[in-house]
Short mmCIF file of all heavy atoms in Angstrom, two decimals:
data_model
loop_
_atom_site.label_atom_id
_atom_site.label_comp_id
_atom_site.label_asym_id
_atom_site.label_seq_id
_atom_site.Cartn_x
_atom_site.Cartn_y
_atom_site.Cartn_z
N GLN U 23 -3.30 -8.22 0.98
CA GLN U 23 -3.43 -7.60 -0.35
C GLN U 23 -4.88 -7.25 -0.65
O GLN U 23 -5.18 -6.20 -1.20
CB GLN U 23 -2.87 -8.53 -1.42
CG GLN U 23 -1.37 -8.63 -1.39
CD GLN U 23 -0.83 -9.69 -2.34
OE1 GLN U 23 -1.54 -10.60 -2.76
NE2 GLN U 23 0.45 -9.58 -2.66
N ASP U 24 -5.80 -8.13 -0.27
CA ASP U 24 -7.23 -7.87 -0.48
C ASP U 24 -7.67 -6.67 0.35
O ASP U 24 -8.40 -5.80 -0.14
CB ASP U 24 -8.04 -9.11 -0.11
CG ASP U 24 -9.51 -8.94 -0.41
OD1 ASP U 24 -9.85 -8.56 -1.55
OD2 ASP U 24 -10.34 -9.17 0.50
N GLU U 25 -7.24 -6.61 1.60
CA GLU U 25 -7.59 -5.48 2.46
C GLU U 25 -7.01 -4.18 1.92
O GLU U 25 -7.67 -3.13 1.96
CB GLU U 25 -7.10 -5.73 3.88
CG GLU U 25 -7.87 -6.83 4.60
CD GLU U 25 -7.28 -7.20 5.96
OE1 GLU U 25 -6.26 -6.60 6.36
OE2 GLU U 25 -7.83 -8.10 6.61
N LEU U 26 -5.79 -4.23 1.40
CA LEU U 26 -5.18 -3.03 0.82
C LEU U 26 -5.94 -2.55 -0.41
O LEU U 26 -6.09 -1.34 -0.62
CB LEU U 26 -3.72 -3.29 0.45
CG LEU U 26 -2.74 -3.30 1.62
CD1 LEU U 26 -1.38 -3.80 1.16
CD2 LEU U 26 -2.63 -1.92 2.25
N ALA U 27 -6.44 -3.46 -1.21
CA ALA U 27 -7.19 -3.09 -2.40
C ALA U 27 -8.48 -2.36 -2.03
O ALA U 27 -8.97 -1.54 -2.80
CB ALA U 27 -7.49 -4.31 -3.26
N LYS U 28 -9.01 -2.66 -0.85
CA LYS U 28 -10.26 -2.04 -0.40
C LYS U 28 -10.04 -0.76 0.40
O LYS U 28 -10.93 0.07 0.50
CB LYS U 28 -11.05 -3.04 0.44
CG LYS U 28 -11.53 -4.23 -0.36
CD LYS U 28 -12.19 -5.26 0.52
CE LYS U 28 -12.57 -6.50 -0.29
NZ LYS U 28 -13.07 -7.57 0.55
N ALA U 29 -8.86 -0.60 0.97
CA ALA U 29 -8.56 0.57 1.80
C ALA U 29 -8.13 1.73 0.91
O ALA U 29 -7.53 1.53 -0.15
CB ALA U 29 -7.45 0.23 2.79
N THR U 30 -8.44 2.94 1.34
CA THR U 30 -8.05 4.11 0.55
C THR U 30 -7.32 5.13 1.42
O THR U 30 -7.47 5.15 2.64
CB THR U 30 -9.27 4.80 -0.09
OG1 THR U 30 -10.16 5.23 0.94
CG2 THR U 30 -9.98 3.89 -1.06
N VAL U 31 -6.54 5.95 0.75
CA VAL U 31 -5.86 7.08 1.37
C VAL U 31 -6.14 8.30 0.49
O VAL U 31 -6.50 8.17 -0.67
CB VAL U 31 -4.33 6.87 1.52
CG1 VAL U 31 -4.03 5.74 2.48
CG2 VAL U 31 -3.68 6.62 0.17
N GLU U 32 -5.97 9.47 1.09
CA GLU U 32 -6.17 10.70 0.33
C GLU U 32 -4.91 11.53 0.37
O GLU U 32 -4.36 11.79 1.43
CB GLU U 32 -7.33 11.50 0.94
CG GLU U 32 -7.64 12.78 0.17
CD GLU U 32 -8.81 13.52 0.76
OE1 GLU U 32 -9.96 13.18 0.40
OE2 GLU U 32 -8.58 14.44 1.57
N GLY U 33 -4.45 11.91 -0.79
CA GLY U 33 -3.33 12.83 -0.91
C GLY U 33 -3.87 14.19 -1.28
O GLY U 33 -4.90 14.30 -1.93
N SER U 34 -3.18 15.22 -0.83
CA SER U 34 -3.66 16.56 -1.15
C SER U 34 -2.50 17.52 -1.38
O SER U 34 -1.36 17.23 -1.03
CB SER U 34 -4.56 17.09 -0.03
OG SER U 34 -3.81 17.26 1.16
N ALA U 35 -2.83 18.64 -1.98
CA ALA U 35 -1.84 19.69 -2.25
C ALA U 35 -2.57 21.02 -2.24
O ALA U 35 -3.79 21.09 -2.43
CB ALA U 35 -1.17 19.45 -3.60
N GLY U 36 -1.80 22.07 -2.05
CA GLY U 36 -2.37 23.41 -2.07
C GLY U 36 -3.39 23.63 -0.98
O GLY U 36 -4.41 24.26 -1.21
#
Side-chain angles (χ1 to χ4, degrees):
Q23 289 173 340
D24 185 52
E25 290 173 1
L26 283 170
K28 294 175 184 174
T30 60
V31 294
E32 182 178 276
S34 65

